Amino acid sequence: RPTPTLNLADEIKVMQRGRPSHRSLVLVVAALCAPCGARDAAAIKPRRTAQASTPANTNLERFIAGGSARALGQLVMYPADALRTLSQTRSGAKSLSELGVGVLLSGCATTSAFALAVGALQFAIFGALKPSVGVLGASVAGALGSCIASVPQEVIKQRLVTGIYPDFLTGLRILASTEGLAGFYTGWLPIVSRNVPFVVITFSTFAALQHALLRRRPAGGEGDDRLTFVENLRVGISSAQVACLATMPFDVVKTRMMTQAAAAGAPPYASVIDCVRTMAATE
């Protein structure tokens, strides 16, 4: 049997004419309480937490994601990075017009594969230590740990771009036979001096910008606990720009130390300090 339609106005008239029925009282009370109940339900609706919507990544996932991101980033930016290296070399080194545009891609695939290990180490260490030591401590540890792979990669890449080595495998053989293991870590001090503050500034700036963006989100909204792809891209680029400007002097010293052989006739730098003093005096 169909339920009769309840009409609040009719029931109020009945109540005004005489003794209200149980049905009238129930209808009026329900009508009055309905808006309050809806507001209360909305007020007590639990806000999704970041932990519930975005479960923590495992070490293997961080390893794969970090390595892939680093390798892809280097692969895409390799020509720009090669131009930066050529612009930082010492007077007497060959220019792009002398070396040819091919050097902008020299060793691109092989050294970008090297970057898999660099990014994997960095992000795995960062993700594992962040809960216990915070963003700053995890950033320092990740930067230091990744230098095990990043310094040899940087040495070979810089020398390929400046024409010291003709190709990756030949460069490996020459470096190993003439300089030994120590050769793979030429210029380790300036690169560590660059990498550690670069990573710390990048991660810290990223975390600060991310926190600021999320705080502006209305509570309880869809996706209020994570950034969109475009927001992540904007925050990442901004963070890297800040870090790049802050650490550029270290980067120049690193390039000079690693590519001394490219400057024909120039006396080699005796040390990092000598490199800094010579640049300050002559340039």
Side-chain angles (χ1 to χ4, degrees):
R1 181 181 178 180
T3 303
T5 303
L6 301 179
N7 190 314
L8 179 60
D10 293 341
E11 294 297 342
I12 292 176
K13 291 178 182 178
V14 171
M15 292 175 65
Q16 291 173 342
R17 289 198 297 266
R19 184 178 178 181
S21 65
H22 293 297
R23 179 172 177 268
S24 302
L25 289 173
V26 170
L27 177 60
V28 172
V29 171
L32 292 174
C33 291
C36 298
R39 287 195 301 270
D40 292 342
I44 64 174
K45 180 182 178 181
R47 180 179 178 179
R48 292 185 300 110
T49 62
Q51 184 178 8
S53 60
T54 53
N57 300 113
T58 65
N59 286 331
L60 179 60
E61 288 171 334
R62 295 190 194 102
F63 201 82
I64 295 172
S68 301
R70 180 67 180 256
L72 180 61
Q74 180 166 308
L75 188 67
V76 172
M77 296 302 299
Y78 197 90
D81 192 50
L83 286 172
R84 174 184 58 84
T85 297
L86 291 173
S87 69
Q88 292 176 348
T89 52
R90 196 174 184 181
S91 178
K94 292 181 179 179
S95 63
L96 178 61
S97 59
E98 294 173 297
L99 293 168
V101 293
V103 297
L104 298 181
L105 295 175
S106 180
C108 177
T110 47
T111 57
S112 295
F114 233 118
L116 279 168
V118 178
L121 283 170
Q122 180 179 319
F123 282 90
I125 294 171
F126 176 81
L129 295 182
K130 181 183 174 182
S132 57
V133 300
V135 172
L136 190 61
S139 298
V140 172
L144 288 172
S146 66
C147 283
I148 297 172
S150 67
V151 176
Q153 177 221 16
E154 196 73 13
V155 170
I156 297 171
K157 181 180 72 173
Q158 300 275 331
R159 294 182 181 182
L160 284 170
V161 169
T162 53
I164 298 173
Y165 299 148
D167 57 71
F168 182 80
L169 292 179
T170 301
L172 280 178
R173 287 195 296 268
I174 294 174
L175 187 57
S177 61
T178 59
E179 300 180 48
L181 181 61
F184 288 92
Y185 289 89
T186 301
W188 69 269
L189 182 57
I191 198 170
V192 169
S193 300
R194 181 204 67 172
N195 283 7
V196 171
F198 184 92
V199 172
V200 168
I201 294 170
T202 301
F203 278 104
S204 300
T205 305
F206 187 95
L209 293 176
Q210 181 186 47
H211 180 68
L213 282 175
L214 292 178
R215 283 189 63 184
R216 291 166 57 186
R217 300 276 181 85
E222 181 66 27
D224 64 325
D225 56 357
R226 61 187 181 274
L227 299 181
T228 65
F229 173 78
V230 174
E231 288 173 331
N232 268 309
L233 195 62
R234 286 166 47 201
V235 170
I237 292 173
S238 301
S239 304
Q241 285 178 330
V242 172
C244 184
L245 288 173
T247 60
M248 184 57 68
F250 299 105
D251 195 55
V252 175
V253 174
K254 176 266 303 178
T255 300
R256 294 292 180 89
M257 294 297 295
M258 291 181 175
T259 61
Q260 294 196 68
Y269 300 119
S271 63
V272 172
I273 300 300
D274 181 51
C275 176
V276 174
R277 286 175 178 169
T278 302
M279 282 195 296
T282 60
E283 300 178 45

